[in-house]
Amino acid sequence: DAGITQSPRYKITETGRQVTLMCHQTWSHSYMFWYRQDLGHGLRLIYYSAAADITDKGEVPDGYVVSRSKTENFPLTLESATRSQTSVYFCASSPGAGGLQETQYFGPGTRLLVL
Amino acid sequence: GDSVTQMEGPVTLSEEAFLTINCTYTATGYPSLFWYVQYPGEGLQLLLKATKADDKGSNKGFEATYRKETTSFHLEKGSVQVSDSAVYFCALTPSSGGYSTLTFGKGTMLLVSP
C-alpha cells in the first residue's frame, strides 16, 4: 500500500543497546523527518533529510544517528539507548518542492521503552 | 527563536458544544500556520492551514483564521462530535526563503462525551 510506514510499532530494549527504527515512504517525497513525542513537550524534531545523502540536525539530535542512502528510507538509530529516550517516535515526509506551505505526512509511530 | 503556545488541556465538552482551542505564536515575518490532529493510536494528520494574514483555513467543520495583529490562529468548531476526540497541535513554519521545518505547540487534548 502507498503511504508512510514505520517498524517496529512497539519496541522494548535495555539501556546501552543499539536500536534502529525504520521508516519507509512510497511517494518519493524529497523530505523526511524524525520526531519524538513526549508528554509536556509536544513533538520535537530529531533529524531531517532534504534528499538522499543529505541530513541535518533538528532540535534534539544527541544520542541519535540517521542515514538516507535511498529516497524512500530514513532509519533512525539509537547507538546506546538510555531511559530518557523512552518515547513515541514519528517519521514524516513531505514533497519539499520549496514552498513554505508543505504538508508533512506522518507515519503511525513507534513506541519505544528503554528499561 | 520561533515558538507556538497552545492552551493546556484536556478540554472536555459535550457533543454539539462549541469548541475553541487557543493558539498564539512568536515568529518574525509572516509564518505559515497549521493545525494537525492526532487520533488515539495514530500519527498526526493535517487538519487545516493558512499561509498569510487574514487567511481562513477550514476542514471537516473546523476553522482557524490567521490573525497577524494578535499573532493567533485559534481553532474553532461550531458543534463537536464524539469522533472529534483527539489531540490537536498548532504549528508554524517561518517565512524565510526555502524550505523550513515545523515548530509544534505542545498539543491540546479534546474529549467529547455523548
Side-chain angles (χ1 to χ4, degrees):
Chain A
D1 289 341
I4 182 165
T5 56
Q6 294 182 235
S7 61
R9 293 293 312 277
Y10 304 91
K11 177 72 176 178
I12 300 174
T13 191
E14 295 178 339
T15 301
R17 290 191 180 255
Q18 183 179 81
V19 177
T20 296
L21 309 184
M22 304 301 294
C23 179
H24 175 79
Q25 52 103 357
T26 60
W27 294 304
S28 298
H29 284 172
S30 296
Y31 282 79
M32 296 187 74
F33 309 83
W34 276 107
Y35 295 90
R36 58 178 291 173
Q37 183 179 27
D38 304 288
L39 216 58
H41 290 280
L43 275 83
R44 293 180 291 176
L45 182 65
I46 304 171
Y47 269 97
Y48 69 103
S49 168
D53 298 321
I54 301 174
T55 62
D56 207 349
K57 296 178 180 179
E59 181 185 355
V60 289
D62 293 343
Y64 302 95
V65 174
V66 293
S67 62
R68 193 157 177 219
S69 57
K70 293 184 177 181
T71 299
E72 61 267 28
N73 297 322
F74 191 38
L76 176 73
T77 298
L78 289 66
E79 292 190 301
S80 179
T82 64
R83 290 194 181 88
S84 65
Q85 293 177 310
T86 292
S87 186
V88 181
Y89 291 85
F90 287 100
C91 180
S93 71
S94 75
L100 296 174
Q101 308 92 333
E102 294 294 350
T103 298
Q104 291 189 20
Y105 298 86
F106 283 77
T110 294
R111 282 161 174 73
L112 176 66
L113 174 62
V114 182
L115 300 175
Chain B
D2 298 339
S3 66
V4 175
T5 302
Q6 295 180 232
M7 60 188 293
E8 289 194 19
V11 173
T12 304
L13 296 173
S14 298
E15 207 165 24
E16 299 184 1
F18 185 86
L19 168 71
T20 300
I21 299 178
N22 291 336
C23 171
T24 56
Y25 67 89
T26 301
T28 56
Y30 292 86
S32 294
L33 302 173
F34 305 80
W35 277 102
Y36 279 80
V37 58
Q38 182 181 28
Y39 297 104
E42 299 183 9
L44 280 71
Q45 54 186 274
L46 180 68
L47 181 60
L48 54 84
K49 64 184 182 184
T51 59
K52 59 183 186 294
D54 299 323
D55 266 2
K56 178 185 283 188
S58 61
N59 186 25
K60 299 182 181 179
F62 291 89
E63 294 183 339
T65 301
Y66 186 165
R67 301 288 187 200
K68 178 66 175 173
E69 64 276 13
T70 54
T71 61
S72 65
F73 193 53
H74 304 322
L75 183 68
E76 296 182 335
K77 186 176 186 184
S79 176
V80 295
Q81 305 300 313
V82 172
S83 57
D84 294 326
S85 297
V87 180
Y88 293 81
F89 292 90
C90 187
L92 67 81
T93 55
S95 57
S96 57
Y99 191 88
S100 299
T101 58
L102 278 167
T103 298
F104 285 92
K106 294 183 179 180
T108 302
M109 179 178 288
L110 170 65
L111 300 171
V112 181
S113 56

